[in-house]
Amino acid sequence: MPEPRTVALVTLGCARNEVDSEELAGRLEADGWRLVDDAADADVAVVNTCGFVEAAKKDSVDALLEANDLKGHGRTQAVVAVGCMAERYGKELADALPEADGVLGFDDYTDISDRLQTILSGGHHAPHLPRDRRKLLPLSPVKRQEAAAEVALPGHGAPEDLPDGVAPASGPRTLRKRLDDNPVASVKLASGCDRRCSFCAIPAFRGSFISRRPSDVLNEAVWLAGQGVREVVLVSENNTSYGKDLGDIRLLETLLSEIAAVEGVERVRVSYLQPAEMRPGLIDVMTGTPGVVPYFDLSFQHSAPAVLRRMRRFGSTDQFLGLLKTIRDRAPQAGVRSNFIVGFPGESEEDFAELERFITHAGLDAIGVFGYSDEDGTEAAGFDGKLPEDVVADRLAKLSRLAEELTAQRAEQRIGDEVEVLVESVEDGVVEGRAAHQAPETDGLTTLLGAEDAVVGRFYRARVTGTEGVDLVAEVLDAEQAGAGRTEAADGAGSQGAGV
């Protein structure tokens, strides 16, 4: 019997890409491929690229070149690019990077096994010509669900897509293969975006917004719980729009409660929230539902009204501070993170000062700051009023320093608080995990003291005793009790924390 073909998936970029990689892994394993962790041990290395900003694109190219260097020195015979950068540039990327043996777009995902086999056999699969994926679905959101079956939507794989004999005959069937044993996993809530931010190219290559069916999301959460996942993170380009194409913009509020009730899931976290679309009912559910952590990943981007208008966004410093006050009136310990762009075309000194004012008073737990640069195909690339590179660099450095100082202060305000920490790593006596206000990868960690026998995947109640920047140090009080993870929202609502 021939040895199974082997494939390694190398994932760059955001949590949405991680979900897409695990769907590709599920498809490949179902068709007989053996998944390996190291590209050097694979017949084919599949690099799931990121195409969001210039730095991410460079990282993707570097990963493809690194995988290409393996060819001729071991098992690796082919390197294939998938993901956002491959979808966004297609043939242009293939021409510029001949080291990649294939450049596959989203439309190739359902046939990923055949595509890789063709490439591995020395054949050629023509790279696609990029197109505006917003035009693949009807303009009216309520008409999109019927048309969705004809459009490739990575991360939306439904149980009926699985071959017979794959996954359990009863219980949830999920077109997904976990690539690690982390007790945290993301679930894709939707794909695409209907917003038209002038600096963002994502809608053009990810398409219009379309929600997954609630039953598919819930079944995937049940399946993940059976795989040992304790925290589910809901991801999409814009979670606050969930349900608008299903006839109920408040559907997320109901779904959050249902996921939180899944046996084995102790935390549900929502990411990628649009401030302009936040509604009182959603805030109430996120701050008052046991098992749903009061964590708000709000995409502010700026706070000066003139800059926000040029970004095709809405709001102001005072409106945003009012939103944060509403959140913290309900849950004073709520975690809040955001990203900001400085040096946007036309940004004045007064606009920048307004952004500084907002950040100074917002009490954010985590802040990402980016200097503006033109992105292919965006409206802002054609704007006048572009700032000199040195001005953008100066503002980037200044706001980054301020953000570092303020987030460290916010962490210090948590000294003395009780937190529940989900342990994710125990190595050489160092126990690390995350409290409710800390999202995976982006928001810092909590180091547990007095937890020598800690187990990955368990919750520990601890008291914060110190900080290191945004990271916390906490002394264990006790290991989790039954349902411990479901009390944080209620406990947080009665605690004291920094306001705005």
Side-chain angles (χ1 to χ4, degrees):
M1 185 174 181
E3 186 179 354
R5 301 155 294 179
T6 57
V7 58
L9 285 149
V10 180
T11 306
L12 294 95
C14 64
R16 300 185 295 272
N17 254 16
E18 294 171 2
V19 175
D20 293 351
S21 285
E22 293 199 345
E23 181 185 300
L24 290 175
R27 292 184 182 277
L28 289 166
E29 185 178 70
D31 203 46
W33 290 76
R34 182 165 63 86
L35 299 163
V36 296
D37 295 331
D38 193 337
D41 298 327
D43 296 319
V44 185
V46 177
V47 179
N48 193 348
T49 61
C50 179
F52 180 41
V53 293
E54 206 59 42
K57 287 183 276 189
K58 181 182 182 303
D59 288 344
S60 296
V61 170
D62 289 346
L64 287 163
L65 294 175
E66 183 178 343
N68 181 71
D69 288 342
L70 297 172
K71 292 191 295 187
H73 300 285
R75 180 163 182 159
T76 309
Q77 301 173 53
V79 175
V80 174
V82 298
C84 291
M85 189 176 180
E87 174 63 37
R88 183 176 181 183
Y89 294 104
K91 187 176 185 302
E92 181 183 346
L93 176 62
D95 291 343
L97 198 69
E99 292 86 352
D101 299 285
V103 175
L104 306 180
F106 296 153
D107 293 333
D108 293 307
Y109 281 22
T110 55
D111 298 311
I112 187 67
S113 179
D114 290 342
R115 299 288 186 265
L116 296 189
Q117 186 58 55
T118 295
I119 293 167
L120 191 59
S121 301
H124 175 71
H125 180 71
H128 72 288
L129 295 174
R131 53 182 173 167
D132 189 340
R133 297 190 72 85
R134 291 171 293 191
K135 298 178 180 179
L136 301 182
L137 290 169
L139 185 62
S140 172
V142 297
K143 296 181 179 180
R144 291 177 190 165
Q145 290 291 325
E146 293 182 7
E150 306 301 321
V151 178
L153 297 168
H156 285 232
E160 54 264 30
D161 294 330
L162 281 168
D164 290 338
V166 176
S170 62
R173 287 163 53 86
T174 300
L175 186 58
R176 180 170 180 174
K177 166 69 175 178
R178 295 220 67 203
L179 295 175
D180 59 39
D181 57 358
N182 195 301
V184 182
S186 296
V187 172
K188 188 168 284 191
L189 197 61
S191 286
C193 186
D194 286 343
R195 302 188 72 87
R196 295 295 179 261
C197 300
S198 60
F199 56 84
C200 184
I202 289 176
F205 59 85
R206 276 289 183 178
S208 297
F209 183 90
I210 184 162
S211 305
R212 290 182 71 194
R213 292 176 297 186
S215 59
D216 288 344
V217 175
L218 187 59
N219 282 338
E220 190 165 331
V222 171
W223 180 82
L224 287 168
Q227 302 288 308
V229 169
R230 307 298 303 278
E231 177 177 325
V232 169
V233 183
L234 299 178
V235 300
S236 74
E237 278 73 24
N238 178 9
N239 279 333
T240 33
S241 283
Y242 182 72
K244 72 175 187 179
D245 52 323
L246 295 170
D248 186 358
I249 193 62
R250 297 180 298 275
L251 199 55
L252 179 57
E253 286 91 311
T254 302
L255 185 58
L256 281 172
S257 299
E258 292 176 342
I259 297 174
V262 170
E263 185 176 355
V265 174
E266 293 294 332
R267 272 187 190 164
V268 183
R269 187 182 302 275
V270 188
S271 59
Y272 304 106
L273 301 167
Q274 284 290 340
E277 297 181 27
M278 290 300 296
R279 48 195 178 269
L282 181 56
I283 294 173
D284 288 343
V285 169
M286 291 179 63
T287 56
T289 304
V292 178
V293 293
Y295 173 82
F296 293 80
D297 176 10
L298 293 162
S299 176
F300 289 119
Q301 301 299 345
H302 212 284
S303 72
V307 176
L308 287 168
R309 283 195 297 271
R310 297 203 93 193
M311 289 180 168
R312 295 198 179 278
R313 297 174 69 87
F314 308 95
S316 67
T317 294
D318 292 337
Q319 288 175 343
F320 292 160
L321 290 177
L323 172 60
L324 293 175
K325 183 178 186 303
T326 298
I327 290 168
R328 290 190 175 120
D329 282 347
R330 289 163 173 74
Q333 287 186 322
V336 185
R337 83 168 320 274
S338 192
N339 294 323
F340 300 91
I341 298 173
V342 298
F344 194 78
E347 181 190 63
S348 67
E349 288 285 356
E350 292 77 15
D351 294 329
F352 182 70
E354 186 69 359
L355 178 57
E356 289 180 301
R357 181 171 80 88
F358 172 66
I359 290 180
T360 299
H361 292 89
L364 303 177
D365 293 277
I367 299 172
V369 185
F370 301 89
Y372 173 81
S373 62
D374 288 338
E375 275 295 313
D376 299 333
T378 62
E379 183 183 5
F383 282 177
D384 57 10
K386 299 283 177 61
L387 303 183
E389 289 185 7
D390 61 332
V391 173
V392 176
D394 286 346
R395 291 182 183 178
L396 174 62
K398 185 177 181 182
L399 200 70
S400 296
R401 288 193 298 269
L402 179 61
E404 184 176 356
E405 177 184 342
L406 292 172
T407 53
Q409 290 176 4
R410 174 65 175 151
E412 290 173 356
Q413 292 168 350
R414 294 187 182 274
I415 293 176
D417 287 350
E418 286 190 12
V419 293
E420 281 189 352
V421 178
L422 173 58
V423 171
E424 296 182 27
S425 172
V426 179
E427 188 173 346
D428 298 329
V430 178
V431 179
E432 292 182 332
R434 291 178 299 102
H437 71 283
Q438 296 170 319
E441 306 295 335
T442 58
D443 298 349
L445 297 167
T446 297
T447 300
L448 284 180
L449 305 178
E452 293 77 11
D453 298 326
V455 177
V456 171
R458 292 191 66 186
F459 286 87
Y460 293 80
R461 183 168 290 278
R463 188 177 305 282
V464 180
T465 58
T467 64
E468 297 177 5
V470 297
D471 297 331
L472 304 182
V473 178
E475 186 80 31
V476 168
L477 299 175
D478 55 61
E480 62 182 338
Q481 303 297 321
R486 302 181 183 276
T487 63
E488 286 186 86
D491 289 349
S495 305
Q496 296 302 308
V500 294

